[in-house]
Amino acid sequence: MIEKVLVPDVGEAEDVEVVEILVTVGDMVAADDSLVVLESDKASMEIPSPYAGKITGIETKEGDQVGEGSLLLEIETESKTEATVEPEPEPGSRSEPEPTPEPETEADTAETTTRIETSKVITVPDVGDAQEIVVAEVLTPQGTQVDEGESVVVLESDKASMEIPSDLAGVVQEVFVGEGDEVKEGDPLVTVVGRVAPDQVNEPVVEKTPVPEDPEYNHEERPADVSRLAPLPQQQDPAITPGGKVHAGPAVRKQAREYGVDLGDVKGSGRRGRVLKEDIQEYVKSRLSRSSDSGGLGIPEVPEVDFTKWGEVEEKPLSRIRKASARNLHRSWLNVPHVTQFDEADITDLELFRKSRNEQLQKEGVKLTPLAFLIKAVVDALIRFPQFNASITKDYDHLILKKYYHIGIAVETEDGLVVPVLKDADSKGVVQLANESAELAAQARDKKLPMDAMQGATFTISSLGGIGGTAFTPIVNTPEVAILGVSRSKVSPVWNGSEFTPRTMLPLSLSYDHRAIDGAEAARFTTYLASVLTDMRKVLM
Ligand code: CAO
């Protein structure tokens, strides 16, 4: 029996990249053997084989961008019966195999000769519970030739981007919307004129182009992005198509809009000139360096230096995780006005308690480090100071206060920094927090973190306490608004009003987004957090 292996639920990630294919056609695999490595900008995950058997087909290749439901490969399992019901890949998934064309019959030929011209209005489909849908991009201006299934418009809601395909091959006769327009289910987007078999004319096809009822609507004013209709000037680089049709996925289009980049100006390095996220980053970088060269306020580029002038060097490639976290850290550093608040918590009693409990718990295979108590105390402080468990809206108009407490834990791995998320930390006890954080750290180091274990954090803790140091300034893990850095505790002389006493002091470094949090609030947060760590009974109050 031939079984298909599809991309599983990849959580919030819209697209993931196939970074490695671990098998070849003809390989025998056992159930759970890793087949393919997928990577988003947040995580990498190995896709295990759901079956034991022989690899009969590989339907993807390294570098492909795939989404949930995309076909990865096929496995022949023990039973030789052909599969009758196979899971359908998601419509639109890029790895969907081409259907094998049926041999043309006489009837088919007759049908094509009697095809009639018709026009069809492509409308906004059912978009679930999305409140606001905006036209993100019109992909096919008036006059464009489109294939059946080819995307004509990109819509975007607060939850997702979606490309709307034409279900008729033909020419775009009219475009009813412009970029930035708000639309709702049923609104017309474009009209396509094409030829169909007579029996298909019963579908909701209209001969006459409807005009939307909105009296203010005037399609004369926006003839489908006129600039795109103008004949293209001679291109120096064929991969750059200003004003022309651009191949790019929704996530890339969204990123382009965020950076204010016209996709037509970007050279696509993907297959058939498809624009990738990296292309936009490169484009922005080059624009910024150009503006600084010309005396603007862009970020001045660090000049490239030939280090071999001074001695021997070795060039070591950066891992994908390191490159992805470099991008995220850079973005946060550039966008977030960071301030770091330092404090110290007296954890003398907590340490005595932790060590005494550890003796007993270690027999049960549990290891309590200060981290589990930190998570517990942080959640208590977040409940008291909700603006730290929040995100700021893009227009800087609102804080989104989250009523759940998912704590990101920065974990050092040999490939770089990974931040798995300990979900619903408010409902868990210290022992469970210790077990789960240790498990997440182990999965991160073994590259076995499921994609959804990397998402949804509301606040992050970065503990360097096991290594050393007295303080540091962690970078906010955007879109969160604060991160707690923890350094190594040490016994210090503390004045108690009459004498110096030896106390175990834990250094805390809270970096926060100054747009969302004031300095006074940050000082109150760390003071409260330190007081909880000094007397954990406070979490009971
Ligand atoms: N002060 C003193 N000792 C500490 C401590 C602290 N703040 N925190 C941990 N320790 C001790 C632990 O108790 C443990 O001691 P024993 O081995 O004697 O029992 C030892 O240090 C090692 O702890 P650990 O690091 O293995 O475990 P942890 O629970 O403290 O941390 C994790 C887990 C995943 C956070 C950590 O392993 C890690 O990866 N840290 C690096 C995070 C990082 O790179 N951050 C920088 C990101 S840039 O912002």
Side-chain angles (χ1 to χ4, degrees):
M1 182 191 275
I2 302 291
E3 299 284 1
K4 292 178 187 255
V5 180
L6 309 179
V7 174
D9 178 6
V10 287
E12 289 163 14
E14 280 157 349
D15 267 346
V16 288
E17 186 179 335
V18 176
V19 291
E20 201 172 347
I21 296 171
L22 305 166
V23 289
T24 49
V25 171
D27 280 359
M28 296 302 296
V29 291
D32 282 340
D33 278 1
S34 293
L35 301 172
V36 169
V37 184
L38 301 180
E39 201 166 275
S40 73
D41 53 353
K42 296 219 173 102
S44 60
M45 95 175 145
E46 291 185 10
I47 305 298
S49 176
Y51 318 101
K54 184 170 156 192
I55 307 291
T56 53
I58 296 180
E59 306 297 342
T60 188
K61 63 180 183 333
E62 288 171 14
D64 276 0
Q65 296 286 324
V66 292
E68 182 184 346
S70 298
L71 179 61
L72 293 172
L73 39 79
E74 290 176 340
I75 297 180
E76 185 178 38
T77 56
E78 291 298 286
S79 157
K80 292 288 169 200
T81 359
E82 281 297 313
T84 46
V85 184
E86 286 165 348
E88 288 263 320
E90 287 278 323
S93 66
R94 276 163 226 135
S95 311
E96 221 171 319
E98 289 287 318
T100 322
E102 296 285 330
E104 218 175 60
T105 63
E106 260 179 47
D108 289 336
T109 322
E111 205 174 71
T112 41
T113 52
T114 58
R115 278 171 182 265
I116 57 163
E117 184 172 299
T118 187
S119 67
K120 177 150 193 178
V121 180
I122 312 299
T123 57
V124 177
D126 177 6
V127 283
D129 58 355
Q131 299 293 318
E132 193 180 273
I133 315 156
V134 173
V135 176
E137 192 155 0
V138 177
L139 303 169
T140 52
Q142 193 178 0
T144 311
Q145 181 80 41
V146 291
D147 292 332
E148 188 182 337
E150 186 173 339
S151 300
V152 288
V153 166
V154 182
L155 299 180
E156 203 170 272
S157 73
D158 50 341
K159 300 208 173 100
S161 300
M162 67 194 118
E163 294 190 8
I164 307 300
S166 168
D167 38 15
L168 178 68
V171 174
V172 174
Q173 186 192 47
E174 189 150 9
V175 180
F176 300 108
V177 288
E179 285 169 21
D181 284 359
E182 256 187 56
V183 289
K184 58 182 186 321
E185 183 183 341
D187 281 354
L189 297 168
V190 302
T191 308
V192 177
V193 179
R195 290 180 165 274
V196 292
D199 60 338
Q200 290 176 311
V201 182
N202 292 338
E203 288 179 18
V205 172
V206 284
E207 298 295 336
K208 198 166 170 295
T209 306
V211 175
E213 279 162 21
D214 182 351
E216 289 184 7
Y217 176 85
N218 176 2
H219 63 79
E220 292 296 304
E221 278 175 16
R222 38 171 197 235
D225 199 347
V226 191
S227 60
R228 297 191 174 196
L229 294 178
L232 288 179
Q234 191 81 33
Q235 294 297 309
Q236 287 184 328
D237 188 335
I240 303 177
T241 55
K245 187 171 165 186
V246 179
H247 293 284
V252 174
R253 293 179 188 284
K254 187 158 178 254
Q255 190 188 44
R257 274 194 306 285
E258 280 168 5
Y259 289 131
V261 169
D262 180 346
L263 274 175
D265 294 340
V266 182
K267 179 181 175 182
S269 66
R271 221 156 31 105
R272 288 165 52 216
R274 198 174 179 82
V275 177
L276 310 177
K277 281 189 172 177
E278 294 75 15
D279 299 328
I280 294 181
Q281 280 148 6
E282 273 310 311
Y283 177 79
V284 171
K285 248 199 274 174
S286 78
R287 288 300 299 264
L288 286 172
S289 69
R290 247 186 278 162
S291 75
S292 69
D293 289 349
S294 58
L297 292 175
I299 299 165
E301 214 178 344
V302 177
E304 209 172 320
V305 176
D306 177 10
F307 298 103
T308 57
K309 283 194 287 190
W310 299 288
E312 194 190 344
V313 297
E314 180 195 343
E315 234 177 77
K316 194 174 159 199
L318 291 180
S319 71
R320 282 177 174 275
I321 289 183
R322 226 173 266 275
K323 282 195 257 183
S325 58
R327 277 197 299 273
N328 293 339
L329 291 165
H330 193 213
R331 188 172 48 206
S332 174
W333 186 253
L334 290 177
N335 280 293
V336 174
H338 279 77
V339 179
T340 306
Q341 172 73 22
F342 300 102
D343 212 332
E344 276 186 324
D346 181 339
I347 57 164
T348 313
D349 295 341
L350 176 60
E351 277 298 87
L352 287 174
F353 175 70
R354 181 179 73 85
K355 283 175 182 155
S356 70
R357 290 297 299 137
N358 242 349
E359 277 167 27
Q360 174 58 34
L361 287 168
Q362 269 178 1
K363 290 181 202 144
E364 298 162 25
V366 180
K367 183 177 173 189
L368 279 185
T369 65
L371 183 65
F373 294 93
L374 274 161
I375 300 171
K376 192 80 194 158
V378 157
V379 169
D380 191 51
L382 292 175
I383 292 170
R384 183 169 283 244
F385 299 91
Q387 68 273 39
F388 288 80
N389 198 55
S391 288
I392 195 163
T393 54
K394 218 172 143 201
D395 53 9
Y396 311 129
D397 257 3
H398 293 86
L399 264 190
I400 299 165
L401 302 172
K402 297 159 198 171
K403 309 289 177 178
Y404 49 89
Y405 300 88
H406 299 340
I407 307 299
I409 314 284
V411 176
E412 183 196 22
T413 75
E414 61 181 21
D415 284 337
L417 193 63
V418 177
V419 187
V421 181
L422 203 159
K423 302 267 166 64
D424 299 314
D426 55 318
S427 64
K428 294 173 183 168
V430 169
V431 171
Q432 193 177 352
L433 294 172
N435 281 337
E436 283 191 24
S437 54
E439 172 69 18
L440 286 170
Q443 284 180 337
R445 287 175 179 138
D446 294 345
K447 298 184 197 147
K448 294 271 192 280
L449 272 178
M451 198 67 84
D452 71 345
M454 310 286 295
Q455 295 162 343
T458 58
F459 181 96
T460 293
I461 298 177
S462 174
S463 173
L464 294 174
I467 303 168
T470 53
F472 65 110
T473 53
I475 296 178
V476 172
N477 189 19
T478 50
E480 296 152 46
V481 291
I483 178 169
L484 181 72
V486 182
S487 299
R488 193 165 187 77
S489 65
K490 69 168 187 234
V491 178
S492 304
V494 176
W495 184 251
N496 68 7
S498 52
E499 58 182 345
F500 281 104
T501 52
R503 307 295 294 176
T504 305
M505 304 303 289
L506 180 72
L508 306 173
S509 311
L510 177 84
S511 290
Y512 58 91
D513 183 340
H514 208 346
R515 296 171 304 178
I517 293 164
D518 291 337
E521 291 172 328
R524 276 188 208 104
F525 182 90
T526 52
T527 304
Y528 178 75
L529 177 63
S531 77
V532 175
L533 290 164
T534 299
D535 185 354
M536 287 294 294
R537 288 174 301 183
K538 279 196 169 170
V539 298
L540 303 172
M541 304 305 285

